[in-house]
Amino acid sequence: MDQIRITGGLPLKGSVEIGGAKNAALPILAATLLGGGECVIDHVPHVRDVMTMGKLLALLGVTVQEEGARVRLDAGQVHSIEAPYDLVKTMRASILALGPLLARLGEAKVSLPGGCAIGTRPVNLHLKGLEMMGAEIQVEHGYIHAKAGRLKGARIDLDFPTVTGTENLIMAACLAQGTTSLHNVAREPEITDLCAFLTKRGAKIHGMGTDTITIEGVKELHGAGHWVIPDRVEAGTYLMAGAITGGDVMVKGCVSDHLGSVLKKVQEMGAELTESHDGVRIRRPGPLKAVEIKTLPYPGFPTDLQAQMMALMSVAEGVSVISETIFEGRFLHVPELHRMGASIEIDGPHAVVKGVPLLTGAPVMASDLRASAGLVLAGLAADGETIVSRVYHLDRGYERLEEKFQALGARIVRVREVA
């Protein structure tokens, strides 16, 4: 098993290129199940979750050809309805096969998803919406088994703006009979990107980027090309890395409109930001200052950047507060930051962070994808050596992370764990 070793204390300097958004690529790849015809997807990140999705699609009968950051897919000969546990146990996005398979083939058997240990993340909103469109659903032996004739359009009001639930229902509605209106949907840029791809394939979608999306069902979708948007979480991670080390980093490809709440808070902490057509440059001329954040559905502060922000707060002057409203189990990185000298107290969904002058390197263990990134950022700023174990979590969502940090001047290497 791999580890990442970091000798901290150096300010990062230079530029870093942001890859395609994992959370946009996954639903877009799943959406190729909705019909035949070649789909050419560009700017696809080479991360573990995307590779797992490619294996799943191939198992279902999709022709998948990888050419670097380009993937060619053709789902003209889909021959299976089952997404098996052994393949998808590490990836929550496997649930995204449910809507397309059910809409296209009238049946789907999808393993209940795995992924990060950050709360229950129930899929009941997906299932409730599909049932309103005429599906019969059973959950047994760890699988969701759904059947339907042709799905029928319906009005669906979501109890919570779930991202994958919104994506699943949009994809299912594309081939449904009649019109589906989805209310209180998630508004993340990745959902808008999925809708843009589906529209290129012939889907009729209205209201993209709002909390109400209407889909007029069509009989079939055709092939199309698409370029995946840049990964806003990766961009936010590198911006925060520049801030925590007191560096000067140009994050190329960062779309500032996708990170409004994050940029505001980083500026509030004392960082200087310069936006250009290339991306966003971050500099930190003085000490970091304490802030308060609350994670919220987009356009609020993203839960996927909470751990990274906590690392910044750990060395900021004053007392910061994080309120986590999305996932109940997303403070698992706190004991590891304690090992590095951070002063953090947990009170239910709130974390109170008292800034310390300096973190110290220590062996730490990642609990989930974004916690991994938070520990790496802490290590970059810490005195001495930090060893991050269980970096397979990190590989699910970050492409060539240690190489990109090395290019910015960080002393960071990937090594094989000694038994």
Side-chain angles (χ1 to χ4, degrees):
M1 195 176 296
D2 287 352
Q3 296 176 323
I4 287 182
R5 292 177 179 253
I6 308 160
T7 303
L10 291 179
L12 301 183
K13 295 183 179 180
S15 64
V16 60
E17 190 81 38
I18 298 305
K22 172 184 83 89
N23 290 337
L26 291 171
I28 286 169
L29 292 172
T32 62
L33 288 165
L34 285 166
E38 185 180 61
C39 294
V40 181
I41 314 300
D42 283 299
H43 203 222
V44 177
H46 192 69
V47 296
R48 184 166 294 176
D49 275 8
V50 168
M51 290 186 280
T52 302
M53 179 63 80
K55 291 176 183 176
L56 171 59
L57 294 175
L59 185 68
L60 295 171
V62 180
T63 300
V64 182
Q65 294 179 285
E66 296 181 16
E67 304 168 1
R70 169 176 289 180
V71 183
R72 297 180 182 273
L73 308 101
D74 194 324
Q77 302 296 324
V78 174
H79 54 66
S80 175
I81 61 161
E82 182 175 342
Y85 172 76
D86 284 347
L87 182 59
V88 303
K89 60 187 176 184
T90 63
M91 183 187 66
R92 173 167 174 75
S94 59
I95 192 71
L96 291 169
L98 179 63
L101 285 174
L102 183 61
R104 171 95 177 276
L105 302 178
E107 188 174 4
K109 186 178 180 182
V110 178
S111 170
L112 286 168
C116 290
I118 55 172
T120 54
R121 302 212 211 185
V123 298
N124 60 302
L125 298 181
H126 305 234
L127 308 187
K128 180 181 176 183
L130 292 172
E131 285 177 331
M132 293 178 72
M133 296 173 72
E136 295 180 4
I137 297 176
Q138 290 183 314
V139 181
E140 54 187 5
H141 307 300
Y143 279 82
I144 301 165
H145 195 178
K147 291 184 179 181
R150 187 179 180 189
L151 293 172
K152 294 179 173 57
R155 177 190 169 107
I156 301 171
D157 294 89
L158 294 176
D159 295 335
F160 179 83
T162 161
V163 174
T164 52
T166 297
E167 292 165 343
N168 238 333
L169 295 173
I170 288 172
M171 290 187 284
C174 285
L175 298 183
Q177 183 177 6
T179 299
T180 300
S181 60
L182 305 176
H183 303 264
N184 192 33
V185 300
R187 295 184 285 159
E188 273 71 2
E190 295 81 9
I191 295 172
T192 302
D193 204 35
L194 168 65
C195 290
F197 171 62
L198 290 168
T199 300
K200 292 175 183 177
R201 299 197 67 190
K204 297 181 179 179
I205 303 173
H206 310 281
M208 291 182 279
T210 74
D211 63 1
T212 299
I213 292 180
T214 303
I215 306 103
E216 299 175 46
V218 298
K219 288 189 175 182
E220 62 181 6
L221 298 182
H222 51 72
H226 189 73
W227 190 85
V228 177
I229 60 171
D231 194 311
R232 62 193 171 100
V233 177
E234 184 189 16
T237 299
Y238 284 102
L239 286 169
M240 291 183 188
I244 198 170
T245 62
D248 183 349
V249 177
M250 177 66 188
V251 183
K252 292 186 175 180
C254 176
V255 181
S256 58
D257 287 349
H258 294 172
L259 280 173
S261 60
V262 175
L263 299 184
K264 179 181 177 182
K265 287 298 177 181
V266 172
Q267 283 181 307
E268 199 176 319
M269 294 186 82
E272 292 182 354
L273 300 176
T274 306
E275 298 179 24
S276 68
H277 68 279
D278 281 342
V280 177
R281 180 185 180 187
I282 188 163
R283 287 171 288 182
R284 198 197 88 198
L288 290 169
K289 302 177 180 66
V291 294
E292 294 188 12
I293 68 163
K294 177 187 288 188
T295 63
L296 290 166
Y298 186 84
F301 194 97
T303 183
D304 280 354
L305 283 168
Q306 178 253 103
Q308 299 90 314
M309 177 59 84
M310 187 181 286
L312 266 69
M313 292 173 167
S314 296
V315 293
E317 293 180 346
V319 179
S320 299
V321 179
I322 294 175
S323 298
E324 174 59 66
T325 74
I326 307 298
F327 295 125
E328 71 275 16
R330 207 154 207 183
F331 288 145
L332 297 176
H333 46 281
V334 171
E336 305 306 301
L337 288 172
H338 283 164
R339 292 173 53 79
M340 301 180 70
S343 176
I344 305 166
E345 293 183 10
I346 302 300
D347 180 13
H350 309 290
V352 180
V353 187
K354 298 177 182 178
V356 298
L358 186 66
L359 296 174
T360 55
V364 292
M365 190 173 293
S367 57
D368 62 73
L369 168 55
R370 304 308 175 184
S372 308
L375 295 175
V376 168
L377 263 58
L380 290 170
D383 178 45
E385 184 179 67
T386 298
I387 303 171
V388 184
S389 298
R390 290 187 180 175
V391 296
Y392 56 83
H393 288 296
L394 196 71
D395 295 336
R396 288 185 47 233
Y398 290 93
E399 185 176 14
R400 299 186 297 106
L401 178 133
E402 64 273 15
E403 293 178 30
K404 290 184 177 183
F405 275 130
Q406 286 167 1
L408 294 173
R411 291 173 291 192
I412 178 172
V413 293
R414 179 180 291 251
V415 298
R416 179 66 64 174
E417 182 176 356
V418 179

